[in-house]
Amino acid sequence: MDDEHEDLDFWSFVDLAGGRLADEFGFPHRLATRLLLTLNRASAIVTYDLESTVHRPRGHSWAGFRLLFVTWLAGPLEPGRAATLAGMSRAAVSNLAKTLVADGMMVRTPGERDGRSVILSLTEDGRRRMLEIFAGQHERERQWAGVLTETEQRMLIMLLDKLIANRHRFDVRERS
């Protein structure tokens, strides 16, 4: 192992990366790199925390929770619509739905549009369990958000909304 980088942590790595990218490789937008590295790290940390403290102990993944969540709150949905709302691929929704149906939390019923369409909805047990699951999720959300003042929370939401709303300015690829 290189002794020079033995003590690197995430933040010192971000500083190192910004300096090397600018000085050695000529990429001048250090702040943009820092912003996206920080945004990705924050998202990964929060997602892992929620999955490991709330969802895995209850037998579900973060992806499974997202599908259950949109179906619970939006009501019965076609898989394509559930995929869009949950930020997943249609294939991921199809695979997760099989697991959640087998688990007794979700049902697939024939859709009215055509012979191939289906509708995903929660079972009564699924709705009951989602209340318990979300109670744990909500408490953890409160803890995370609690490190910021209400004004800071609103500012962060505003800034993230601005990033998302302006994605049309460049060729953004996203799940739909």
Side-chain angles (χ1 to χ4, degrees):
M1 181 173 185
D2 186 348
D3 290 338
E4 179 185 356
H5 301 299
E6 188 175 305
D7 295 327
L8 277 179
D9 64 7
F10 176 72
W11 299 112
S12 58
F13 169 74
V14 169
D15 290 337
L16 172 75
R20 289 199 61 202
L21 289 167
D23 299 342
E24 292 178 40
F25 302 106
F27 295 104
H29 303 291
R30 292 172 79 153
L31 190 58
T33 299
R34 185 177 191 91
L35 170 67
L36 272 290
L37 286 172
T38 303
L39 181 61
N40 280 306
R41 177 57 64 106
S43 177
I45 289 169
V46 170
T47 299
Y48 181 79
D49 178 65
L50 292 171
E51 185 169 46
S52 66
T53 62
V54 177
H55 304 296
R56 287 277 177 215
R58 291 168 174 86
H60 298 285
S61 65
W62 174 247
F65 169 75
R66 288 173 23 222
L67 178 56
L68 288 167
F69 185 73
V70 300
T71 308
W72 178 47
L73 295 176
L77 297 166
E78 288 188 345
R81 187 70 185 134
T84 298
L85 294 175
M88 300 176 168
S89 69
R90 185 136 165 34
V93 166
S94 179
N95 287 331
L96 283 168
K98 290 174 191 172
T99 301
L100 295 168
V101 167
D103 193 31
M105 291 189 71
M106 186 172 272
V107 293
R108 294 169 47 107
T109 55
E112 297 177 8
R113 192 167 40 89
D114 62 42
R116 296 175 304 168
S117 68
V118 297
I119 302 294
L120 302 175
S121 57
L122 295 188
T123 63
E124 193 57 44
D125 184 51
R127 284 187 287 279
R128 181 188 56 73
R129 288 168 61 190
M130 274 305 293
L131 279 172
E132 183 267 327
I133 292 167
F134 191 74
Q137 167 91 14
H138 191 62
E139 174 56 22
R140 202 62 172 185
E141 290 171 347
R142 184 197 61 75
Q143 291 170 348
W144 274 102
V147 303
L148 302 173
T149 66
E150 184 177 330
T151 299
E152 290 169 333
Q153 291 174 41
R154 292 182 190 285
M155 287 173 59
L156 182 56
I157 291 166
M158 178 191 70
L159 294 170
L160 293 171
D161 284 348
K162 185 175 182 178
L163 277 176
I164 293 166
N166 284 284
R167 70 189 180 277
H168 68 277
R169 292 183 177 194
F170 42 97
D171 188 21
V172 173
R173 289 172 179 73
E174 58 186 312
R175 289 187 177 104
S176 55

